[in-house]
Amino acid sequence: MDSTTSSSSSTPRWNVERPFLTGRFHQETKAMSRFAEAKGFSVESFSGAGLDKAIGCFDAAVQELIVIDDLLSAMVGIEGRYISIKRIRGKEDHVTFQVDPSMDLALQELAKKIFPLCESFLMINQFVESRSQFKNGLVNHAFAAALRALLLDYQAMVAQLEHQFQLGRLSIQGLWFYCQPMMASMQALSTVIQKASANNFAGSAVLNLLQSQAKAMAGDSAVRSLLEKMTQCASNAYLGILERWVYEGVIDDPYGEFFIAENKSLQKESLTQDYDAKYWRQRYSLKDGIPSFLANIAGTILTTGKYLNVMRECGHTVQVPVSENSKLMSFGSNHHYLECIKAAYDFASSELLNLIKEKYDLIGKLRSIKHYLLLDQGDFLVHFMDIARDELTKKLDDISVEKLQSLLDLALRTTAAAADPCHEDLTCCVERSSLLKRLGTLKDPEVIRTVAEVNDLEEPLNITGLETFSLSYKVQWPLSIVISRKALRKYQLIFRFLFRCKHVDRQLCGAWQVHQGVRALNMRGTAISRSSLLCRSMLKFINSLLHYLTFEVLEPNWHIMHNRLQTAKSIDEVVQHHDFFLDKCLRECLLLLPELLKKVERLKSLCLQYAAATQWLISSSIDIPKLDELSDGSIGNSRSPSRAVKLTSRNAAVTDSILKFEREFNAELQSLGPILSSSSQAEPYLSHLAQWILGVGKDQ
């Protein structure tokens, strides 16, 4: 049983130690039989050892009267003069009845036919006494109460038979006739009780046992009807627990019998910290031992209560409207209880969905996250990268996160983002590892495989803020159910990939501006003109990649998710659609395609190296005279027509460097083409990127 069992009340010891409170004093071998005491005989004398006359000494008619009297006593668990109760050694709960061997054989046979009924009564009576204790749970209490009511009817019937016997109207054949209708029912109940006692069943196990036994008795309608009635009575308490859960979201289960477990150690605040989002999945979970009549709808029952709990945690008091027709106090072939549960689920689901969509503006939050983490509105990022350039180029240990946060706030306040009421929830952070290593923290098998396959990619020796900068977002309950820590981590991975691409694009744009600065010079056929073509190809590559990521991956998938969220019927569907959107974006953004990711990262690294070397390449390729040289008479005397710049070729090193960059870039680009072409067959979304990438190399 669940740990909650230990907190239940305990049965006082005197209730067990004082036999006169339990009824077992009738069955104690040391006690005096009521009938024997009236005749002056001891219990030991019933076995025949000390009896003056064995029953065989009497006439058959007298024997019959004595046997009927003893049988009526045995039927309520009391020994007679010639019928004794014997407990089997090692099986204290099992008893047998024995007759005096001198009894008439015909009477013996009839008596033995009635003994199973007597044994069943004793077993049921003992089960009722033991299972009425607190520790056995509500289902056992209800089952024992139903059995006690049955035994009262049974004892009333025995009293009526005894009355007929006193009037001289009952023969042993008549007694057997009246006992036969009860035999099957009592034996079926004793079979259930034996199994329940042997396995110490409680809660749903008892209900499942009763149901299975009822189905096994399909050929005997009376017995099946009785077992179904017992199941119904025993399930009343269980259905009471179920009713509070699906109508109020409360687990009122003092004995740990309900099939839903509550982990109170998990709090809703953990959703913003716990990567695996255990709260939503493990705060309430299904246990083993679900009642068979609820097995097919157990997930719906769990979800219904979870939804009600979320609303209660939000301070939103809600209770499923309950009418007399929706009471879960019975179950049967009409499946009315299933309709009640389904109605409760529909109500809780729609209420929570409306609460999250309307009051907490889920769509607005997701749209705000899209603006910032998926770079839907890039003006703030451009401004931020301008003002934070010096800080982002520092090494990790030298970066001030506080300064970056203040610069981010400044960029948000001075751009169009200031109109967004959610912009204050945006924060910045600096990771301690590169994007590829951070991919491994997703803990998804596919991501782990990706990281394992790209771990041969060289990690930068001196990582700066440009490689590790990321944005985060403050998400409060209950939106953290949808935008969990894991979901935010996926957003951050996509942001870091986009941010890196934006940085490469800005650096190449700077290199292009340097080339444009010397455009007026006649550099055709020189190393600079070759460098200009290379810079244009690199820009085309990175712009193509950015266009693919934003307009062919993020935007279409966002609109698909947005439309699905509008038609979602439950919060679980919302979580499912949102997670599917993120996983699809991760894959289509190449983050889960290791071979492609490695190639793209290598190309971006080449672009950055080239952009960093551009200033040196240009300044080494031309010679710009100083001001004092311009005023020198020798130049004036030479009457040079340009009078500004004299073009000179430095050395072969500049040309070799440009050619090296060109060869490496083209080689990586051309090797990327076949990979994209082959991958696009399995991943159709890569076809557009493949066409464009293959076109880049042709420009060279």
Side-chain angles (χ1 to χ4, degrees), residues 204-240:
S204 58
V206 175
L207 300 179
N208 288 336
L209 176 62
L210 283 167
Q211 273 206 310
S212 63
Q213 288 297 117
K215 291 177 181 177
M217 293 293 175
D220 191 331
S221 59
V223 175
R224 179 169 184 172
S225 177
L226 175 65
L227 289 175
E228 287 177 348
K229 182 180 180 182
M230 290 291 112
T231 309
Q232 190 65 63
C233 294
S235 66
N236 282 343
Y238 200 88
L239 290 174

Side-chain angles (χ1 to χ4, degrees), residues 311-376:
M311 288 184 277
R312 194 169 64 249
E313 291 276 5
C314 296
H316 184 70
T317 305
V318 64
Q319 184 173 352
V320 178
V322 181
S323 63
E324 287 300 321
N325 195 37
S326 61
K327 289 286 186 180
L328 291 176
M329 298 313 294
S330 64
F331 69 93
S333 58
N334 61 356
H335 300 304
H336 174 67
Y337 67 99
L338 297 178
E339 296 173 4
C340 294
I341 293 171
K342 185 66 169 62
Y345 169 79
D346 291 340
F347 174 83
S349 178
S350 61
E351 281 289 312
L352 178 58
L353 202 56
N354 290 336
L355 182 71
I356 286 184
K357 281 186 176 181
E358 303 301 329
K359 182 177 179 180
Y360 292 96
D361 191 20
L362 172 65
I363 303 298
K365 283 287 184 183
L366 291 175
R367 189 175 288 111
S368 179
I369 291 176
K370 175 174 177 273
H371 289 337
Y372 304 124
L373 272 72
L374 302 184
L375 304 187
D376 182 42

Side-chain angles (χ1 to χ4, degrees), residues 391-396 399 404 429-431 462-470 496 499-500:
E391 195 69 26
L392 289 173
T393 53
K394 294 180 180 178
K395 295 181 181 179
L396 284 182
I399 296 175
L404 283 178
C429 57
V430 177
E431 305 285 357
N462 296 318
I463 301 179
T464 65
L466 292 167
E467 288 84 24
T468 57
F469 175 77
S470 183
R496 291 182 64 181
F499 183 79
R500 177 81 163 165

